[in-house]
Amino acid sequence: MELRSEEMPNGVKLVVLAGRFDIAGTQEIDQRFTALTATSKALVAVDVSAVSFLASIGIRTLVSSARALANRGGAMALIGPQPLVEQTLLAAGIDSIIPIYPNLDEAGRGLQASATAH
Amino acid sequence: MTWSVSLRVRNDLDELTRLAEWLNACGERHSIPEQTVQHVDLCAAEAVTNIMTHGFADEGAHEIAVRLGQQGKDVVLEIEDDGVAFDPTEGEPPPLATLESTRIGGWGMRIVRRFSDEVRYRRIDGRNRLTLVFRQPSPTGT
């Protein structure tokens, strides 16, 4: 799996993942992903549009990081999952604990609204 | 079954990559629709991960047998292991909750049920056998 990140002008940290989020993919990105999402009060938008496969081991990484972020006053959102990945997220009920947006603009607005609410 | 192929994997999470590659290659060789292959791939990953994580009471080496085949129009995935008696179809899935309270894990069988059309478990001669059926749409779409 590939991971890249950039800071957006509106203060949202964009993390872009690509490839299979399976056991091998998780091992490849776990440390960097955790480090990127461990900053206090960070608003993190995770672009998963290039993720072709998401297994529960990948979901575990997402949920653990989202929870760590939330505990520090931050928030996470997912952007643009492919149909299979979206259906996997819905089947696991992840959409009710990590919001999913179709694009970065909406994710940014949603994250900033959640930050204002806290 | 009309045809079937088998693979044995060790109870080592690193084997999941080999399993995925094998399933995808078999799918292509037997002209299984891509979406079905994706569903089989995901369900196999979840079911085998469950077995590797929870299925064995000792630290020893075990093998998990995976069989992919066709029965009528359906694609069938069978996973057999010699671990402790474990029926993954039993029990309620964990309740959906908030980010703070949600249990980490427990998503595997929820995912398996979403992407397969039938899930069967049997305990036979000291082995667990999980059978997943993936129905294929008829040409008329009914």
Side-chain angles (χ1 to χ4, degrees), chain B residues 4 10 14 18 24 30 37 41 51 57 61 66 86-87 101 107 109-110 121 124 127 132 137 139:
Chain B
S4 75
R10 300 184 315 278
D14 288 340
R18 186 166 74 92
N24 279 277
H30 293 278
V37 175
D41 185 353
I51 294 166
V66 180
F86 173 57
D87 180 356
S101 67
W107 303 298
M109 280 314 292
R110 211 190 276 274
Y121 167 82
I124 307 170
R127 297 172 69 79
L132 306 180

Side-chain angles (χ1 to χ4, degrees), chain A residues 2-118:
Chain A
E2 288 161 24
L3 180 158
R4 68 174 176 84
S5 71
E6 58 183 289
E7 298 287 333
M8 307 309 297
N10 59 1
V12 169
K13 186 179 292 186
L14 173 65
V15 177
V16 182
L17 301 177
R20 282 178 65 100
F21 212 155
D22 55 8
I23 179 95
T26 301
Q27 286 167 347
E28 282 159 18
I29 63 125
D30 197 51
Q31 274 190 332
R32 276 182 298 154
F33 189 82
T34 304
L36 276 169
T37 56
T39 313
S40 62
K41 289 195 182 340
L43 302 179
V44 179
V46 185
D47 185 329
V48 292
S49 60
V51 173
S52 57
F53 179 98
L54 174 65
S56 58
I57 192 126
I59 295 175
R60 177 185 293 256
T61 297
L62 291 173
V63 171
S64 296
S65 296
R67 181 186 283 180
L69 262 177
N71 286 342
R72 291 180 167 87
M76 179 185 288
L78 302 177
I79 302 172
Q82 294 179 14
L84 177 71
V85 171
E86 184 176 29
Q87 286 161 34
T88 305
L89 289 164
L90 265 55
I94 303 308
D95 57 311
S96 63
I97 57 177
I98 304 176
I100 302 172
Y101 297 96
N103 55 61
L104 178 57
D105 279 345
E106 290 191 44
R109 280 198 292 275
L111 284 167
Q112 281 163 338
S114 72
T116 311
H118 286 110

